[in-house]
Amino acid sequence: MYPMRLVMAFWWSLALFWLVARELPAEQSAENPPSAQADKGWPREVFGIGQTYDEARKDAAHILVKKAAMHLREQTPPVIAWQPTPEYVEQNLFDGIGQQGPDFEINNIIHRKTWNFPVKPLDLAAIRLLDHEAARQQRSEHRTLLFTHVTAGLALVLGAFLAYLRLDDWTHGRYRRLLQMGVAAVLVAAGTGWWLWLAS
């Protein structure tokens, strides 16, 4: 029994070490104060194309989503946890209804409109609050998943020990060494699987 306790203690110690190592950077990053509003490289307008005004506006929103995501990743520190959506862009980043550009046709059949939409400056302080909340939610989901894995691991270990005790009792200790090796193999397999999950 003593070697099995050592194996179990070793794997759980490694798991706790990785848990602390993975959680600390996320908690510390949330303490970084919002930096000043960053406008460098941020577009003042964006063009959209479509058969109607609504299609052109949606097209421009999707374009601005990509530009905003790239721009936010370039900030210091980068905004990663929260990502802009077309709905957020239309409600918070478009400055008015925009101005119609020239119409054109494709193959003299498909009519298209162009529309120029002015873009508001990014409120980086407000966006960092959204990023902080998104990061907090991600950490909460990670802890829930971790708790589920820990519970499953403990259940597996407990089941292995109970099975060992029951079988050892039934066989009156004749196969004790073999049963101990089986329990140790279960512990090593469970610890290795959990280690790989933590490292991924």
Side-chain angles (χ1 to χ4, degrees):
M1 292 294 290
Y2 184 71
M4 287 187 290
R5 291 178 182 175
L6 284 178
V7 171
M8 185 173 66
F10 172 73
W11 282 114
W12 288 118
S13 299
L14 288 178
L16 289 174
F17 171 78
W18 270 99
L19 173 62
V20 172
R22 287 170 64 93
E23 289 294 331
L24 280 178
E27 294 290 346
Q28 290 173 349
S29 64
E31 298 175 358
N32 291 322
S35 60
Q37 184 169 311
D39 288 337
K40 183 179 180 181
W42 181 243
R44 299 298 183 210
E45 58 185 14
V46 63
F47 289 90
I49 300 175
Q51 288 183 278
T52 64
Y53 167 81
D54 289 339
E55 287 185 4
R57 186 177 177 89
K58 288 181 180 180
D59 180 59
H62 283 285
I63 293 173
L64 193 55
V65 162
K66 296 178 181 179
K67 290 181 178 292
M70 183 180 300
H71 186 75
L72 292 172
R73 284 196 298 268
E74 295 172 351
Q75 301 305 305
T76 305
V79 176
I80 298 175
W82 178 83
Q83 293 297 306
T85 63
E87 293 74 21
Y88 179 87
V89 165
E90 291 197 46
Q91 294 174 10
N92 298 278
L93 297 183
F94 281 160
D95 192 5
I97 62 174
Q99 184 176 1
Q100 187 174 0
D103 294 350
F104 66 96
E105 293 182 351
I106 301 176
N107 297 328
N108 296 322
I109 299 177
I110 303 177
H111 183 72
R112 287 288 185 268
K113 291 182 177 294
T114 62
W115 214 274
N116 177 23
F117 296 94
V119 177
K120 296 178 181 178
L122 277 178
D123 187 351
L124 197 55
I127 288 177
R128 288 202 181 281
L129 291 177
L130 294 173
D131 186 63
H132 173 71
E133 179 62 24
R136 188 194 64 79
Q137 180 64 28
Q138 290 177 2
R139 291 194 299 273
S140 176
E141 293 174 356
H142 174 75
R143 291 189 184 105
T144 301
L145 184 61
L146 180 61
F147 175 78
T148 302
H149 279 76
V150 170
T151 303
L154 290 175
L156 179 63
V157 170
L158 180 60
F161 274 108
L162 290 177
Y164 163 77
L165 293 175
R166 180 64 61 87
L167 291 173
D168 186 62
D169 182 58
W170 282 352
T171 58
H172 303 289
R174 287 194 299 269
Y175 304 102
R176 180 168 298 165
R177 194 65 177 171
L178 183 62
L179 291 174
Q180 288 179 352
M181 292 175 60
V183 173
V186 171
L187 294 178
V188 171
T192 302
W194 202 38
W195 171 269
L196 293 174
W197 177 77
L198 286 173
S200 62

